[in-house]
Amino acid sequence: MVDPARALPGRDVPAFAVPSTHAVLGTPLRGPWPEGTAVLHLALGCFWGAEKEMWQLPGVVTTAAGYQGGYTPNPTYEEVCSGLTGHTETVLVAYDPEVLPHAELLRRFWTLHDPTQGFRQGNDVGTQYRSAVFTTTPEQAEAALATRDLYAPELQRAGYGDITTEIRPADEAGPFWYAEDYHQQYLHKVPNGYCPVHSTGVACPLPA
């Protein structure tokens, strides 16, 4: 990780415009959303493929690609890819927890990538590809830790190493900075675009 003192300074205002509406779901990208909507921020490698997986889940209200967990305000994609912002590519998931329980969303998160790889996913290498969960409620934090602790021994039995996923409140991780227009719902706009998820194929149990 870049030292905060060496991180890029960023800017006070965004360097680009962000669309107001989800290109697939037709819902507001920034809200407001229906009462009871929960928001969880998930980083699992390249956000193009991760976002597509999330917007297809029942109960999801909207998704967005962005940057979180670093130091640089209002970063650009190029800045994040330099490794000098500290951010990781993150997907905002706004969802109805009555339809999509926290633990089920997190189970999908764990099984869609390899959470043991540190600063990489597959051939994508760098701190911007690290695995992370940035929670907004105590219930999400509890579900994140519970599913992680259930999944860790399953991965080890399958020959994988320790989980390296960063789990902390979004308030500590810092703002979710929306990514550029072309990154939002990228694989809907570019159906043949390259951005696979890196599932291990190992199932994740749900907490009792």
Side-chain angles (χ1 to χ4, degrees):
M1 280 288 289
V2 65
D3 185 275
R6 291 186 58 244
L8 296 175
R11 52 198 58 81
D12 294 332
V13 295
F16 47 82
V18 175
S20 59
T21 304
H22 195 285
V24 178
L25 302 176
T27 49
L29 216 61
R30 295 178 178 268
W33 301 303
E35 184 177 353
T37 299
V39 176
L40 184 60
H41 304 100
L42 300 171
L44 51 156
C46 172
F47 49 22
W48 295 344
E51 189 194 8
K52 181 178 180 180
E53 294 290 338
M54 296 301 166
W55 82 54
Q56 297 180 83
L57 296 177
V60 167
V61 177
T62 204
T63 60
Y67 316 112
Q68 197 169 12
Y71 312 109
T72 301
N74 291 297
T76 66
Y77 179 66
E78 290 75 16
E79 289 171 343
V80 171
C81 287
S82 75
L84 295 176
T85 71
H87 296 298
T88 184
E89 293 191 13
T90 304
V91 178
L92 177 152
V93 185
Y95 60 102
D96 181 352
E98 295 295 321
V99 178
L100 180 62
H102 306 309
E104 174 58 24
L105 175 55
L106 285 153
R107 184 187 71 82
R108 293 288 297 168
F109 162 79
W110 293 118
T111 57
L112 282 170
H113 74 303
D114 181 350
T116 71
Q117 289 196 322
F119 294 151
R120 68 178 296 165
Q121 277 296 300
N123 293 328
D124 293 328
V125 179
T127 55
Q128 71 270 30
Y129 299 115
R130 71 187 186 274
S131 174
V133 179
F134 302 130
T135 62
T136 61
T137 69
E139 293 78 15
Q140 290 174 345
E142 181 181 351
L145 294 174
T147 50
R148 179 199 64 186
D149 292 348
L150 285 171
Y151 198 37
E154 300 298 321
L155 288 169
Q156 289 169 353
R157 275 192 283 272
Y160 290 89
D162 294 335
I163 288 176
T164 59
T165 302
E166 175 184 348
I167 300 176
R168 57 176 168 150
D171 286 348
E172 290 182 12
F176 173 85
W177 304 105
Y178 282 80
E180 292 84 341
D181 185 357
Y182 72 94
H183 288 303
Q184 305 300 337
Q185 299 84 63
Y186 178 85
L187 290 182
H188 168 72
K189 299 169 183 174
V190 186
N192 295 323
Y194 173 81
C195 185
V197 292
H198 295 278
S199 173
T200 62
V202 179
C204 177
L206 282 172

